Amino acid sequence: METKQWYMEYKIHKNRPGLLGDIASLMGMLEINILTINGVEDRTRGMLLQTNDDEKIELMGKMLKKVDNITVSALRAPRLVDILAVRHGRYIERDSDDRKTFRFTRDELGLLVDFLGEICKKEGNQVIGLRGMPRVGKTESIIAGSVCAKKRWTFVSSTLLRQTVRSQMSDDEMNPQNVFIIDGIVSTMRSNEKHHMLLREIMAMPSTKVIEHPDIFIRESEYTYDTFNVIIELRNSPDEEITYETFTNFEHDKF
């Protein structure tokens, strides 16, 4: 049978001595390997497991229901958020109504870069929207995520150093394995028809595109919210409001 990975999470009601050892011993007897283990949030532990027998996972889940000191809260095939939770010891905040929206603050840049890197590793079309106020670290996070994914990044439009609006690219730059960085304000409000033609070609490619200011990009182009696979919000603090009026009405190269 094929070897598979599983994510298990359990809440600890009484952290008695030897609790983890008892759980690990049970897994050992069932020949379930523990790949990674970490505390996740308060009194919660997450594990990445591996086995070639799904019935052993089902049996373990039933047995752990009889353990009074813990409650198993998740036992499933691992999602990206599960893998990162075990790796970093904390869950990414996710919008309760819009499940494709993930929220980060500036002190979580390491987690954000790891998240972006894992998405950029995926093959095929990936469209990521990145919301955030000026100078919060959007472009730098995208570049760092590309490095984590071992992929080359290409600016289609940007204001990182100066306003960049590309109208053509070399064959090497148009490699679908590259990560294309697009400033949604520059591409839709500060560009020309040649840039729009290049943009349409890139958007049709089976590649990763990261679009800063996705709301303006949607408002000013033919693309819709459904175009995006993931929306990321990056704030300086959890209560910071992301607005566009303060900087779409000025010369954008100041930001």
Side-chain angles (χ1 to χ4, degrees):
M1 189 179 292
E2 180 187 0
T3 299
K4 295 180 182 179
Q5 289 190 11
W6 294 81
Y7 174 70
M8 188 181 82
E9 178 186 286
Y10 60 87
K11 296 186 181 299
I12 302 171
H13 305 302
K14 182 180 179 182
N15 195 12
R16 62 170 175 78
L19 176 61
L20 177 58
D22 291 344
I23 295 171
S25 296
L26 172 61
M27 293 179 182
M29 287 186 287
L30 291 171
E31 296 181 324
I32 298 172
N33 296 323
I34 301 175
L35 300 179
T36 313
I37 182 171
N38 199 357
V40 180
E41 307 300 344
D42 183 43
R43 299 186 70 84
T44 302
R45 184 168 283 131
M47 295 181 178
L48 282 180
L49 309 174
Q50 187 180 63
T51 181
N52 60 358
D53 190 339
D54 294 352
E55 291 184 4
K56 291 181 178 180
I57 291 290
E58 183 180 352
L59 177 60
M60 180 191 67
K62 290 179 179 178
M63 296 174 70
L64 289 177
K65 285 182 179 180
K66 301 296 183 180
V67 179
D68 294 332
N69 299 136
I70 68 169
T71 297
V72 176
S73 52
L75 187 58
R76 58 178 177 247
R79 306 166 185 167
L80 175 56
V81 290
D82 298 328
I83 294 171
L84 294 179
V86 174
R87 193 178 295 171
H88 291 269
R90 62 195 302 181
Y91 263 110
I92 298 170
E93 184 182 347
R94 199 169 186 176
D95 192 295
S96 57
D97 297 320
D98 177 11
R99 300 300 288 172
K100 74 162 73 171
T101 299
F102 298 84
R103 297 191 177 104
F104 298 82
T105 54
R106 188 169 173 79
D107 62 355
E108 298 174 318
L109 285 181
L111 179 57
L112 171 58
V113 168
D114 207 357
F115 182 63
L116 282 168
E118 292 296 329
I119 297 175
C120 291
K121 288 176 185 177
K122 295 181 179 180
E123 298 295 327
N125 188 53
Q126 301 288 330
V127 183
I128 305 163
L130 183 49
R131 295 181 179 127
M133 296 300 286
R135 300 192 183 97
V136 74
K138 298 185 298 297
T139 306
E140 295 88 338
S141 298
I142 300 168
I143 292 173
S146 303
V147 172
C148 286
K150 295 182 173 58
K151 286 191 175 181
R152 175 179 174 179
W153 67 90
T154 299
F155 284 112
V156 181
S157 56
S158 175
T159 58
L160 182 62
L161 298 176
R162 58 186 176 82
Q163 185 162 303
T164 300
V165 183
R166 303 290 299 275
S167 58
Q168 61 183 9
M169 291 186 178
S170 66
D171 291 341
D172 187 42
E173 288 178 307
M174 290 295 284
N175 187 334
Q177 291 298 312
N178 291 352
V179 175
F180 295 93
I181 304 174
I182 300 166
D183 186 305
I185 295 175
V186 173
S187 281
T188 59
M189 301 178 68
R190 310 272 191 243
S191 61
N192 52 38
E193 185 56 34
K194 285 187 176 181
H195 177 78
H196 291 163
M197 292 175 62
L198 175 64
L199 183 64
R200 292 188 192 101
E201 184 179 354
I202 290 170
M203 290 298 293
M205 292 172 60
S207 59
T208 298
K209 279 82 66 170
V210 187
I211 302 174
E212 298 180 32
H213 313 301
D215 303 289
I216 303 299
F217 186 79
I218 291 168
R219 189 186 76 187
E220 301 292 334
S221 73
E222 67 268 31
Y223 300 98
T224 68
Y225 184 75
D226 292 335
T227 302
F228 292 83
N229 302 95
V230 174
I231 299 288
I232 295 170
E233 296 179 352
L234 178 59
R235 292 174 169 84
N236 287 294
S237 60
D239 57 350
E240 181 181 49
E241 182 181 2
I242 299 173
T243 61
Y244 296 100
E245 288 78 7
T246 56
F247 58 96
T248 54
N249 295 328
F250 297 93
E251 288 298 324
H252 193 59
D253 57 357
K254 293 180 182 178
F255 299 95

